[in-house]
Amino acid sequence: MSILALTLALSGLAVAQSLTPAPVSTVDLSERPVASNPGPQSQLRLGDALYTGHFRVNDETGLMTGELEIRWDNGSRFQGRLVDGKRQGQGRFTWPDGQYYDGDWRDNQATGQGVIQYANGDRYTGLVRDGVPDGEGEKRYAPRGERYEGSWRAGLREGEGRFTWASGQSYTGRWQADEPEGEGLLNYPNGDSYRG
């Protein structure tokens, strides 16, 4: 296989440089066997990226499978597993500004249980879908010392949750579009509370 054919087959990996990777078609990986020993340590330079690790290139499709690290010239980096050219299983993607996602990948998308460490110091731990908080999780806001624990949808606080300020004051109730919605419970640091 030529380097040009391999470059074209791997072009889908370039989307890893964006904060929200482009959608990809779903592949039923259960029908494709994956070698338990993907091959010897290899290094390959393609375009603006250096691929290093234990991987194999499928002669027919030109797609990589294996454990590897990809370093882009802009400072982005992925460490984890590729299956047929897609990030799959556990992996870590780091952006040039220091932000990273460490967790589950499915069909080239950050989806499942994971940690998002933001460049500003904020940290989210919980369920992620397509690279943003979605499901149950906790976000700690730095340097303010605040935190939210509860439900998320498409990166916004949505559903039941509790927001706690650095002072110890907290609000527990429903959230919609990142804002408190309807009746909730406000607890004050001195022990007083208000429901409304």
Side-chain angles (χ1 to χ4, degrees):
M1 168 177 300
S2 72
I3 293 296
L4 176 60
L6 186 57
T7 301
L8 293 174
L10 294 172
S11 63
L13 292 176
V15 300
Q17 296 175 35
S18 67
L19 292 175
T20 306
V24 295
S25 59
T26 303
V27 175
D28 183 4
L29 298 173
S30 64
E31 296 178 4
R32 294 182 171 196
V34 176
S36 59
N37 182 7
Q41 177 83 15
S42 301
Q43 193 170 64
L44 182 62
R45 177 85 177 161
L46 293 173
D48 68 341
L50 179 64
Y51 300 76
T52 305
H54 298 278
F55 58 87
R56 288 193 179 144
V57 178
N58 183 307
D59 290 334
E60 293 178 20
T61 65
L63 299 175
M64 284 186 193
T65 295
E67 297 287 332
L68 71 156
E69 178 179 59
I70 306 169
R71 288 183 176 262
W72 284 269
D73 292 344
N74 72 358
S76 295
R77 184 173 72 238
F78 173 76
Q79 298 163 292
R81 182 159 186 76
L82 292 183
V83 176
D84 292 331
K86 294 182 181 180
R87 291 164 287 201
Q88 190 76 17
Q90 289 292 306
R92 179 178 178 133
F93 188 90
T94 306
W95 285 267
D97 64 3
Q99 176 172 315
Y100 69 80
Y101 169 77
D102 191 356
D104 297 333
W105 292 83
R106 187 175 64 219
D107 294 328
N108 221 31
Q109 298 295 319
T111 298
Q113 188 70 32
V115 173
I116 302 171
Q117 178 69 47
Y118 298 90
N120 69 358
D122 293 353
R123 183 180 181 94
Y124 173 82
T125 304
L127 292 173
V128 174
R129 179 179 296 168
D130 297 331
V132 296
D134 197 286
E136 293 298 309
E138 175 185 67
K139 185 170 182 181
R140 293 184 177 268
Y141 299 88
R144 300 183 314 233
E146 301 167 339
R147 77 173 184 263
Y148 172 81
E149 302 166 89
S151 296
W152 295 81
R153 184 170 181 197
L156 301 175
R157 295 171 287 200
E158 186 85 28
E160 293 295 319
R162 177 183 178 145
F163 188 91
T164 305
W165 287 267
S167 66
Q169 180 175 321
S170 67
Y171 168 81
T172 304
R174 293 216 30 91
W175 293 76
Q176 184 172 357
D178 227 26
E179 299 292 331
E181 172 73 16
E183 188 172 312
L185 177 64
L186 192 58
N187 288 311
Y188 297 94
N190 67 3
D192 291 345
S193 62
Y194 172 78
R195 181 175 294 280

